[in-house]
């Protein structure tokens, strides 16, 4: 036996041989950890969503590492605060690049994503966005993928509610944000194609606290229903003020969160909305396990944002595995190639998530109705 | 016509709220010459104080709301005593104090976020009564705002005209140096002004908390509205602040009758621009206290 190799060492090496045989070959360029960046609006004025996104990310990373990481290498999330401000988001992204040479990043907030995506695109950083819905982000960037239904899908899904009831006159309350304007633009086209009439369009800042004038004008237009193209917590105040000011028409939207419920209070009753449908009670094992773990850790049911950012980490982890299996190092390009080669990825919603070539995804959108303060699933939207 | 009537009612309702904001802000500026941007976080602190009374201590609303002016008065006084006063004593310029007030505002907002978190804190199951006058809907909160403004304005007038410290405040707002020469303790009077004005802001803050909940950043926009109201009405004039509040409320509401509501947040500042151009001392500056 050559000097330096003892009998004990040789026995250990022989014992480890089967495991080494089955494991993917270690790549020369393997990093010490697979670091995934995330840009969240942690101190934005409407930052509740970022809190649940962060929870989802943390849970996914902890779970993956508890199972030994990806092929034995740990995963780490590098979360930066974009404050809801595009300039700050770009600075945060550059920090992630400079510090960690980040290869994959989770984006949020349409305006921040729009500012950050060109930098990622230029540097071939893989992007996954589970929060933004703006159509301005779809098909424009080859490294950007969405695991949330985008505005065109959500607007059409929400408008399926009044269409089923043969309503014709729509009034709109839209946020002066990129998401709100995307929904407004796409819903106008969809509603006109259906033969409906838009009797009033009102707008307000996402964080506006005084919307009395808008509500007065919406009420006077006497619509068949009111469409609220705003995100949390905006719809809460719209619901409250619309009902306080005597609007009895159905109100539809695209989101209902705990924040909206708190602000709207009793006036949320009957609110109908279209949203990505995360069903914690589905029979599939993964959604059930995720929902149970989330409840145990945070004392609340996981919502869409928590599920999407949890899922985002798992999607990237799956792509890292695929890239490594193909002998490629951890780069944004390798992740993108792996996804385009097989756009099906396991989803925490159950079944598979399928990505379109333009970066959007095929995800079923549910129609919900609020009763006793809780959102109840009605049916899946028919989007012919 | 139904829309006009509703917008008029909304404008009057918001005007009461704005006047409350302008009263406190104007009082501080006129007396101390400090553009007090930390008025925003004080506004938020008072809302959280009222909310805490109910949510953390289980007190009824009628008792919890008392926490708001008390907390605001303490916070306002502390900001003056430990924030502005040391720098005033070192002879810092008003520009430096302005920057300091912005810095304090950011620090306090961040502190509130660390303590309470970023999410909305609402008073559970609060629903004001709705009054219907023909085509016009008025909420109980809008009426309460008008009543609160009347009570605060009368109390403030009585305090300023009828008490020793009130007269000292008036003297300070007329001429700070002369007031010091005749023996008025300007530090103590400024301290009282900060406490008093912050307590007035707390009244408006409680209405916001009941209407839409409290957040650490809830004072960001109100502080600018307060500034506009105080300047438009005429700094240092109580009737001016009230008139300014109603003017801003009505212009903001009725101004959007025929133009898109996307302009809502600009209207108050357009009014400020016009007033500064044609009557920089404020529209009602002649109406003394």
């Amino acid at each position: 036996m050559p000097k330096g190799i003892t009998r004990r060492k040789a026995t250990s090496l022989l014992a480890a041989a089967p495991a080494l045989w089955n494991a993917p070959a270690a790549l020369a360029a393997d990093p010490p950890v697979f670091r995934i960046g995330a840009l969240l609006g942690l101190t934005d004025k409407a930052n509740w969503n970022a809190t649940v996104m962060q929870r989802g990310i943390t849970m996914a990373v902890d779970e993956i590492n508890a199972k030994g990481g990806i092929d034995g290498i740990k995963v780490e999330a590098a979360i930066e605060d974009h404050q809801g401000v595009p300039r700050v988001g770009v600075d945060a992204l550059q920090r992630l690049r400079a510090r960690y040479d980040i290869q994959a990043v989770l984006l949020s907030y349409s305006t921040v994503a729009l500012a950050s995506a060109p930098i990622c695109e230029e540097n071939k950083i893989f992007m996954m966005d589970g929060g933004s819905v703006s159509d301005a982000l779809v098909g424009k960037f080859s490294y950007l993928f969405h695991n949330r239904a985008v505005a065109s899908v959500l607007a059409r899904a929400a408008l399926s509610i009044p269409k089923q009831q043969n309503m014709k006159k729509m009034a709109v309350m839209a946020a002066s944000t990129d998401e709100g304007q995307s929904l407004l633009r796409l819903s106008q086209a969809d509603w006109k194609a259906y033969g409906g009439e838009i009797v009033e369009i009102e707008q307000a800042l996402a964080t506006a606290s005084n919307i009395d004038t808008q509500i007065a004008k919406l009420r006077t237009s006497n619509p068949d229903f009111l469409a609220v193209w705003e995100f949390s917590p905006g719809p809460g105040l719209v619901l409250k003020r619309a009902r306080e000011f005597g609007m009895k028409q159905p109100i539809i939207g695209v989101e209902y969160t705990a924040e909206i419920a708190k602000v709207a209070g009793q006036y949320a009753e009957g609110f109908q909305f279209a949203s990505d449908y995360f069903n914690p009670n589905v029979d599939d094992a993964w959604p059930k396990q995720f929902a149970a773990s989330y409840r145990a850790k945070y004392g609340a049911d996981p919502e869409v944002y928590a599920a999407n950012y949890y899922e985002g980490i798992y999607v990237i982890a799956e792509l890292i595995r695929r890239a490594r299996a193909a002998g490629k190092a951890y780069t944004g390009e390798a992740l993108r190639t792996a996804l385009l080669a097989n756009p099906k990825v396991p989803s925490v919603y159950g079944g598979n998530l399928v990505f379109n070539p333009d970066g959007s995804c095929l995800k079923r959108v549910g129609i919900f109705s609020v009763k006793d303060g809780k959102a109840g699933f009605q049916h899946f939207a028919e989007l012919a | 016509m139904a829309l006009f009537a509703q917008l008029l009612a909304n404008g009057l309702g918001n005007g009461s709220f704005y006047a409350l904001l302008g009263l406190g802000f104007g009082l501080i500026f006129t007396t101390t010459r400090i553009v007090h941007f930390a008025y925003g976080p004080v506004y938020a602190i008072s809302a959280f104080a009222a909310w805490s009374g109910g949510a953390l201590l289980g007190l009824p609303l009628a008792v919890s709301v008392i926490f708001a002016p008390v907390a605001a008065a303490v916070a306002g006084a502390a900001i003056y005593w430990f924030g502005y006063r040391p720098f005033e004593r070192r002879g810092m310029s008003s520009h430096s104090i302005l920057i300091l007030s912005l810095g304090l505002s950011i620090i306090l907002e961040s502190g509130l976020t660390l303590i309470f978190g970023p999410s909305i804190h609402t008073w559970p199951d609060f629903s004001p009564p709705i009054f219907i006058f023909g085509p016009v809907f008025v909420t109980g909160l809008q009426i309460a705002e008008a009543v609160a403004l009347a009570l605060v304005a009368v109390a403030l007038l009585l305090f300023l005209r009828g008490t020793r410290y009130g007269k000292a405040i008036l003297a300070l707002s007329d001429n700070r140096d002369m007031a010091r020469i005749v023996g008025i303790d300007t530090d103590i009077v400024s301290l009282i002004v900060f406490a008093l004005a912050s307590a007035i802001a707390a009244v408006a803050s409680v209405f916001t908390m009941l209407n839409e909940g409290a957040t650490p950043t809830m004072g960001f926009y109100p502080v600018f509205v307060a500034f506009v109201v105080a300047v438009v009405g005429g700094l240092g004039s109580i009737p001016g602040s009230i008139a300014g509040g109603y003017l801003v409320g009505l212009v903001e509401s009725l101004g959007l009758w025929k133009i898109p509501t996307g302009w809502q947040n600009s209207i108050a500042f357009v009014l400020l621009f016009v007033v500064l151009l044609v009557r920089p001392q404020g529209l009602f500056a002649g109406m003394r206290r």
Side-chain angles (χ1 to χ4, degrees):
Chain A
M1 191 169 284
K3 196 181 174 187
I5 298 182
T6 62
R7 185 172 294 164
R8 184 179 291 175
K9 276 184 183 170
T11 311
S12 302
L13 283 171
L14 284 172
L20 292 170
W21 185 261
N22 288 329
L27 299 174
D30 269 342
V33 291
F34 291 121
R35 199 169 273 118
I36 300 169
L39 298 180
L40 308 179
L42 294 169
T43 56
D44 174 36
K45 286 188 180 61
N47 52 2
W48 176 83
N49 293 343
T51 306
V52 295
M53 289 172 184
Q54 189 177 22
R55 288 176 180 175
I57 290 170
T58 308
M59 272 189 65
V61 167
D62 289 349
E63 283 177 15
I64 292 169
N65 288 336
K67 290 173 192 164
I70 302 170
D71 299 335
I73 299 174
K74 297 277 184 192
V75 179
E76 191 176 294
I79 299 174
E80 288 277 347
D81 179 17
H82 62 54
Q83 300 173 14
V85 180
R87 176 184 49 76
V88 179
V90 167
D91 288 347
L93 176 64
Q94 298 291 31
R95 267 198 305 280
L96 288 174
R97 286 188 58 224
R99 277 187 200 158
Y100 306 123
D101 188 23
I102 215 86
Q103 293 300 312
V105 65
L106 300 175
L107 300 179
S108 66
Y109 218 101
S110 292
T111 50
V112 177
L114 277 164
S116 309
I119 297 166
C120 293
E121 189 78 3
E122 193 182 329
N123 294 283
K124 299 182 176 176
I125 297 170
F126 183 87
M127 297 170 271
M128 179 67 59
D129 194 333
S132 310
V133 300
S134 172
D135 272 40
L137 287 162
V138 178
K140 307 285 194 304
F141 303 100
S142 54
Y143 289 81
L144 173 58
F145 295 85
H146 299 264
N147 63 330
R148 182 180 191 186
V150 291
S152 53
V153 179
L154 287 175
R156 276 199 302 148
L159 288 176
S160 70
I161 302 165
K163 282 176 187 172
Q164 280 176 347
Q165 297 168 45
N166 292 318
M167 292 177 175
K168 289 291 178 191
K169 292 194 290 179
M170 169 170 75
V172 177
M173 178 71 186
S176 306
T177 58
D178 198 71
E179 286 102 336
Q181 297 304 302
S182 261
L183 285 162
L184 173 60
R185 200 169 44 246
L186 295 155
S187 66
Q188 280 178 295
D190 187 79
W191 196 245
K192 280 176 185 164
Y194 159 72
E197 182 190 355
I198 301 164
V199 293
E200 189 70 42
I201 297 171
E202 295 300 330
Q203 300 185 51
L205 292 176
T207 51
S209 60
N210 177 9
I211 56 167
D212 291 356
T213 303
Q214 287 88 333
I215 297 296
K217 291 171 90 169
L218 290 167
R219 193 190 75 187
T220 309
S221 68
N222 196 25
D224 291 336
F225 70 98
L226 171 63
V228 183
W229 302 144
E230 294 193 24
F231 290 88
S232 188
L237 191 60
V238 177
L239 285 162
K240 185 168 193 261
R241 297 307 268 170
R243 296 302 185 215
E244 281 179 350
F245 278 74
M247 286 190 78
K248 293 187 169 60
Q249 292 91 336
I251 302 179
I252 64 165
V254 288
E255 187 171 74
Y256 183 72
T257 63
E259 296 287 85
I260 295 172
K262 274 201 282 186
V263 177
Q266 61 172 336
Y267 298 114
E269 205 64 11
F271 177 52
Q272 289 180 288
F273 64 99
S275 175
D276 290 15
Y277 179 32
F278 178 74
N279 181 2
N281 303 313
V282 76
D283 283 336
D284 290 26
W286 194 17
K288 252 186 175 171
Q289 174 257 315
F290 164 61
S293 305
Y294 191 94
R295 272 191 216 110
K297 196 163 184 181
Y298 301 112
D301 272 339
E303 299 185 51
V304 166
Y305 292 113
N308 283 1
Y309 282 78
Y310 172 88
E311 183 179 74
I313 292 286
Y314 269 98
V315 169
I316 291 171
E318 170 65 16
L319 296 178
I320 293 173
R321 270 192 206 97
R322 289 182 191 176
R324 283 175 52 77
K328 290 182 181 168
Y330 175 40
T331 65
E333 181 66 49
L335 301 187
R336 176 175 172 269
T337 306
L339 185 60
L340 293 177
N342 175 10
K344 272 188 189 177
V345 184
S347 171
V348 74
Y349 286 66
N352 283 319
L353 178 65
V354 183
F355 288 94
N356 297 316
D358 65 3
S360 63
C361 68
L362 291 177
K363 221 170 188 179
R364 289 195 297 181
V365 176
I367 300 295
F368 300 79
S369 181
V370 177
K371 194 178 176 196
D372 299 327
K374 298 274 181 198
F377 174 68
Q378 303 293 296
H379 55 83
F380 285 108
E382 299 294 334
L383 299 174
Chain B
M1 206 56 206
L3 176 60
F4 182 84
Q6 184 65 63
L7 293 180
L8 185 66
N10 291 351
L12 291 171
N14 292 331
S16 311
F17 175 76
Y18 291 163
L20 281 168
L21 291 173
L23 266 180
F25 192 87
L27 189 64
I28 289 174
F29 182 79
T30 315
T31 319
T32 65
R33 299 287 154 194
I34 292 172
V35 181
H36 179 41
F37 279 113
Y39 194 63
V42 169
Y43 178 85
I45 286 169
S46 58
F48 276 108
W51 174 85
S52 300
L56 305 181
L57 304 178
L59 298 172
L61 180 60
V63 178
S64 294
V65 294
I66 297 167
F67 288 12
V70 173
V74 171
I79 286 171
Y80 173 71
W81 201 256
F82 300 110
Y84 298 131
R85 183 170 154 271
F87 293 95
E88 272 188 334
R89 290 197 150 195
R90 287 176 198 173
M92 277 179 80
S93 69
S94 56
H95 295 102
S96 302
I97 300 282
L98 175 72
I99 302 297
L100 175 67
S101 80
L102 285 168
L104 280 172
S105 177
I106 292 166
I107 291 167
L108 290 169
E109 261 189 24
S110 303
L112 280 173
T113 306
L114 285 172
I115 296 167
F116 291 100
S119 64
I120 295 172
H121 296 69
T122 53
W123 191 274
D125 303 324
F126 176 78
S127 184
I130 310 291
F131 302 97
I132 304 169
F133 305 103
V136 178
F137 284 65
V138 178
T139 68
L141 274 185
Q142 287 175 316
I143 293 170
E145 281 167 355
V147 172
L149 172 65
L151 293 175
V152 167
V154 169
L156 186 60
L157 273 172
L158 291 175
F159 173 75
L160 290 178
R161 289 179 180 170
T163 67
R164 189 162 64 92
Y165 279 113
K167 286 173 184 165
I169 291 170
L170 294 178
L172 220 69
S173 64
D174 274 342
N175 190 323
R176 193 177 174 86
D177 292 332
M178 186 59 76
R180 194 176 288 130
I181 287 167
V182 299
I184 294 173
D185 186 339
T186 53
D187 284 352
I188 294 295
V189 174
S190 297
L191 185 76
I192 292 169
V193 164
F194 266 84
L196 187 64
S198 303
I200 293 172
V203 178
S205 160
V206 166
F207 289 120
T208 302
M209 189 271 288
L210 292 174
N211 195 35
E212 63 197 77
T215 63
T217 54
M218 66 187 286
F220 180 78
Y221 184 66
V223 75
F224 288 101
V225 172
F227 179 78
V228 173
V229 167
V231 173
V232 166
L235 287 162
S237 163
I238 293 172
S241 287
I242 294 170
Y246 280 111
L247 183 66
V248 171
L250 286 170
V251 166
E252 203 177 75
S253 185
L254 295 174
L256 297 169
W257 187 19
K258 295 292 180 190
I259 63 172
T261 42
W263 291 96
Q264 184 182 37
N265 280 36
S266 312
I267 281 191
F269 294 96
V270 170
L271 179 66
L272 174 70
F273 178 79
V274 172
V275 169
L276 286 176
L277 204 63
V278 299
R279 195 172 158 81
Q281 70 272 38
L283 293 177
F284 310 98
M287 299 163 71
R288 298 297 292 159
R289 293 130 194 163

